Amino acid sequence: MSHAAVADKRPSTLRGASLPKWTPWAVALGSIAVACGIGAAAGLSSHVQWGVIAALLFLIGTYVVAAQVEGRRQAKDRIATSLVWVAFLLAVIPLVSLVWTTVARGVKVLDIYFLTHSMGIVADSQPGGGIYHAILGSLEQVGLATVIGAPIGVLTAIYLVEYGRGRLAQAVTFFVDVMTGIPSIVAGLFILSLMLIFKMQPFGFAGSLALAILMMPVVVRSTEEMLKLVPNELREAALALGVPKWRTILKVVLPTSIGGITTGVMLAIARIAGETAPVLLLVFGNRFINANPFEGAQQSLPLYIYQQYANSAGANAAYDRAWAASLTLIAFVMILNLVARGIARWKAPKTGR
């Protein structure tokens, strides 16, 4: 047998021992079992405490096992990967728990009747009633806020990225940063002060104005980041062909970033759709259907949830309606996100050869 054949049969010294692929699952199951035992023996009633103990045991067990078999260097890599997974679970578990609880409690009264009727003369302590007036009010208020806030936000971002230079651009950027952090109640108080000056009564469009104020900085920031991702080579190529700058922005920059801009607008809509404080101050709430956002008090889903839960003391009917309205609001936001993804894929520039 030649020396080359003998060398081929020798085990490679460049590759050390490695753990099987099922090792993380085994360590995880063992950590959960030990954590359950510790929690039961210590009398810990909270499952959150059990989960924290299991996470710590998983990290420690992963490092010890990997250090013994693969060495400390590979153990550090595995512990970093384990930290990422633990952080992911810590973020997902509360979300799944929230959605599960909302679905389990919201389906009790959620039906066609509930979606197509208002509260009318139904008392909060009585069964029946619905959220049609709240859905109509939310759609109108959020829709008007989007019509006002989205174009202003996108145009402001275009100015900051494409034209903004000097002190004016710095001032606009500063005020956008300030508006991003203002509480929603401040926007409501600002519009309320104007209503008091002009002696106006609560109406739906006033809530839309406050929601538009909250929406604009989110749209500006997200759109600005998307526009910055567009390669400068595309702008330079269009300008080299003699295309005016405004047409370059309209035909090249915006179509390239339309997916991210749409997603940012939808995220802003999802944020304002759940605001309660401005609506409570400006829209005031209404038990009956009011399809005119420019006259008279209106209802909205967040305000309906707040009022039903606040009046649910000793009344299971109001408590169930609050959970059903919460489930409807979650479904509304989910549909918005799905629509945004569909529009982003439809309007995304084609990358085929």
Side-chain angles (χ1 to χ4, degrees):
M1 183 179 295
S2 63
H3 293 287
V6 174
D8 292 339
K9 291 185 178 182
R10 293 175 183 174
S12 175
T13 57
L14 298 177
R15 184 177 181 182
S18 61
L19 293 171
K21 293 183 179 181
W22 48 264
T23 301
W25 297 101
V27 175
L29 293 176
S31 302
I32 293 174
V34 174
C36 292
I38 295 174
L44 301 177
S45 58
S46 175
H47 290 169
V48 176
Q49 296 173 326
W50 292 25
V52 171
I53 295 173
L56 293 176
L57 292 175
F58 174 70
L59 294 175
I60 296 173
T62 299
Y63 181 81
V64 171
V65 173
Q68 292 293 327
V69 178
E70 298 177 333
R72 291 186 178 182
R73 183 176 180 180
Q74 187 65 21
K76 292 178 181 179
D77 178 73
R78 286 188 175 272
I79 202 69
T81 304
S82 300
L83 283 172
V84 172
W85 278 104
V86 169
F88 169 75
L89 292 176
L90 289 177
V92 169
I93 289 176
L95 178 61
V96 173
S97 176
L98 173 64
V99 174
W100 176 261
T101 303
T102 305
V103 172
R105 297 185 178 183
V107 296
K108 292 182 180 179
V109 296
L110 185 60
D111 52 19
I112 299 298
Y113 178 88
F114 182 75
L115 295 174
T116 55
H117 287 74
S118 66
M119 289 300 296
I121 59 174
V122 178
D124 292 331
S125 59
Q126 296 176 343
I131 58 171
Y132 177 77
H133 59 311
I135 295 176
L136 182 63
S138 286
L139 290 176
E140 291 181 347
Q141 294 160 28
V142 173
L144 289 172
T146 304
V147 170
I148 298 171
I152 295 177
V154 172
L155 292 175
T156 303
I158 292 175
Y159 165 75
L160 292 175
V161 176
E162 304 294 337
Y163 298 98
R165 299 293 185 274
R167 294 184 178 180
L168 179 58
Q170 294 176 358
V172 172
T173 302
F174 172 76
F175 283 110
V176 168
D177 292 337
V178 172
M179 290 178 62
T180 303
I182 63 171
S184 60
I185 190 67
V186 175
L189 289 174
F190 172 70
I191 302 298
L192 180 62
S193 64
L194 297 179
M195 292 175 60
L196 294 177
I197 292 174
F198 294 100
K199 298 180 180 180
M200 304 173 67
Q201 298 296 321
F203 62 111
F205 184 67
S208 299
L209 293 176
L211 296 178
I213 294 175
L214 298 173
M215 181 181 187
M216 281 187 283
V218 180
V219 176
V220 171
R221 275 285 164 255
S222 60
T223 304
E224 188 178 1
E225 295 301 322
M226 291 300 105
L227 294 177
K228 288 180 179 178
L229 294 177
V230 178
N232 286 327
E233 289 79 4
L234 294 178
R235 298 180 176 89
E236 294 171 355
L239 294 174
L241 295 174
V243 180
K245 188 167 185 177
W246 69 269
R247 195 170 183 84
T248 300
I249 296 172
L250 188 63
K251 294 295 185 179
V252 177
V253 177
L254 288 180
T256 305
S257 58
I258 189 64
I261 295 175
T262 304
T263 302
V265 172
M266 290 301 173
L267 289 175
I269 294 175
R271 188 230 166 164
I272 66 174
E275 291 292 346
T276 306
V279 179
L280 180 62
L281 289 175
L282 306 172
V283 181
F284 204 68
N286 193 343
R287 302 180 66 86
F288 296 91
I289 299 173
N290 179 15
N292 185 3
F294 300 99
E295 182 180 359
Q298 269 193 324
Q299 187 63 277
S300 72
L301 278 174
L303 182 57
Y304 178 90
I305 296 168
Y306 167 75
Q307 292 176 341
Q308 290 297 311
Y309 188 81
N311 299 327
S312 63
N316 291 330
Y319 189 72
D320 293 337
R321 284 194 294 264
W323 280 107
S326 301
L327 180 58
T328 305
L329 184 58
I330 291 176
F332 174 69
V333 174
M334 186 180 298
I335 292 173
L336 282 178
N337 281 275
L338 293 176
V339 171
R341 289 180 178 273
I343 294 176
R345 288 190 176 184
W346 176 41
K347 290 295 185 178
K350 301 298 185 291
T351 58
R353 296 181 179 177

